[in-house]
Amino acid sequence: MMKKAIRPTREQLEIWMDAILPDKDLFFIREEDLTVLEENLTGTLLFPRKEFFNHSSYQHVQMVSSYMYWTIVAEAVYVVVAEPRWLTELNDETRSFLLLQQTELCSGLTIPLSKLQDVDLIPKEYIVSQESELFVVIRRAMWDALSFEVKEEMIRLTGQLYDAWEGKPVPANLPVHLRRYANTFSDKSGANCLAAVLFAISTEPELEEWIIHEWVHPETFALHLQRSAFVKTEDRFIGGDVVVWVNDEDVIQHAAYCIDGVLFFNKSGQIFTNPWKIVDWSYLEEDWKRYTSIVYRKHLPYHS
């Protein structure tokens, strides 16, 4: 079965472009980096890592998604929070040093330069070299100065680093309430795989449609699955089943809704560049092979 390209609308792109970077820049640094930056931290807030990640002001879904908190390595023990102009006022050497740390510490909003079509449109002061590869480190002031076309390309590239913008054609037997979402994008970040599944199994979709836009956590998902009478089965999945992937501690990592025993309604992350899409089992099996899959089926009361 051929795959179908998935593309955001112009309106969605404009919303994404405005939302992808917060009003303040974040920079993740090591302990030893303070010796280089110490004299340049006036006008910033320096957070210890633990306090930053527990601070409610920096935990909203778009900031978490844009900077990809979950990828940042343990050596990043401090976080510098600054207004966008702060970075532009640093000298070239300090700015390059700071931006390089963002690639080395695996912060989000970095793109391999080789992926871009017209590199001449990228300000050179935001390009750094790591292990012989050039990267663009995106921050607010630089982003605001780019054209619509360059922003679109960057969004497409960053999105497709983790989730291809393509899916299987929408099958005729897809439940009606899922048709408007299949092979489309959300306007904003937050909607995740667990929310997609809960909406898919909804018995009152008009009342529960708002749920598909939520960031549902594992325990909430498990409770809702139980209350909806879904129970584990050793059988192979069939249409209407839910497949869940768990880690070694039995914590849910992913879930997808089985449409017909072959195709699934799936969302692979909570970022707006992760589309709701139609995929087959081979896609899911490969993508989540490091976890254990469990099939849940709705228990129907027996009537004699």
Side-chain angles (χ1 to χ4, degrees), residues 235-288:
D235 297 341
R236 182 175 173 82
F237 48 79
I238 59 174
D241 286 351
V242 172
V243 180
V244 171
W245 285 261
V246 299
N247 64 14
D248 293 339
E249 289 75 43
D250 287 331
V251 177
I252 296 171
Q253 304 298 304
H254 187 64
Y257 172 77
C258 184
I259 300 167
D260 55 9
V262 177
L263 297 175
F264 289 78
F265 180 71
N266 180 70
K267 194 173 192 294
S268 290
Q270 82 285 353
I271 306 174
F272 50 57
T273 54
N274 299 129
W276 292 290
K277 63 183 181 180
I278 307 300
V279 300
D280 59 22
W281 174 248
S282 63
Y283 173 94
L284 292 168
E285 192 174 33
E286 175 62 24
D287 219 26
W288 300 95

Side-chain angles (χ1 to χ4, degrees), residues 143-174:
W143 181 254
D144 288 344
L146 296 175
S147 68
F148 180 93
E149 290 72 23
V150 175
K151 289 179 181 178
E152 179 181 9
E153 183 183 11
M154 285 190 166
I155 287 176
R156 176 176 54 80
L157 287 171
T158 53
Q160 295 197 68
L161 285 173
Y162 308 101
D163 194 355
W165 287 6
E166 58 184 19
K168 299 292 186 181
V170 176
N173 58 352
L174 182 70

Side-chain angles (χ1 to χ4, degrees), residues 43-157:
T44 72
L45 279 176
L46 180 67
F47 283 86
R49 179 189 180 110
K50 183 177 180 181
E51 186 167 272
F52 175 83
F53 284 119
N54 288 327
H55 199 299
S56 59
S57 294
Y58 304 104
Q59 295 304 309
H60 62 79
V61 63
Q62 186 55 60
M63 187 173 283
V64 172
S65 299
S66 293
Y67 281 97
M68 295 171 55
Y69 288 1
W70 59 92
T71 68
I72 297 166
V73 300
E75 299 107 277
V77 296
Y78 292 111
V79 185
V80 178
V81 180
E83 291 191 333
R85 69 176 183 177
W86 176 76
L87 183 65
T88 67
E89 293 173 353
L90 294 177
N91 62 54
D92 291 347
E93 183 179 359
T94 304
R95 185 191 306 111
S96 294
F97 172 83
L98 181 60
L99 295 180
L100 178 59
Q101 308 319 304
Q102 308 318 297
T103 65
E104 292 183 347
L105 297 174
C106 301
S107 167
L109 298 174
T110 63
I111 304 175
L113 187 66
S114 60
K115 301 287 186 181
L116 296 171
Q117 293 182 358
D118 195 343
V119 298
D120 293 333
L121 297 176
I122 307 301
K124 290 182 172 54
E125 59 267 32
Y126 291 89
I127 300 173
V128 297
S129 176
Q130 180 193 2
E131 297 180 354
S132 301
E133 185 172 5
L134 297 177
F135 290 86
V136 181
V137 182
I138 306 169
R139 289 301 183 267
R140 185 83 223 189
M142 170 252 200
W143 181 254
D144 288 344
L146 296 175
S147 68
F148 180 93
E149 290 72 23
V150 175
K151 289 179 181 178
E152 179 181 9
E153 183 183 11
M154 285 190 166
I155 287 176
R156 176 176 54 80
L157 287 171

Side-chain angles (χ1 to χ4, degrees), residues 231-233 235-237 241-244 293-297:
V231 297
K232 292 182 183 179
T233 177
D235 297 341
R236 182 175 173 82
F237 48 79
D241 286 351
V242 172
V243 180
V244 171
S293 61
I294 301 171
V295 179
Y296 284 83
R297 183 167 298 161

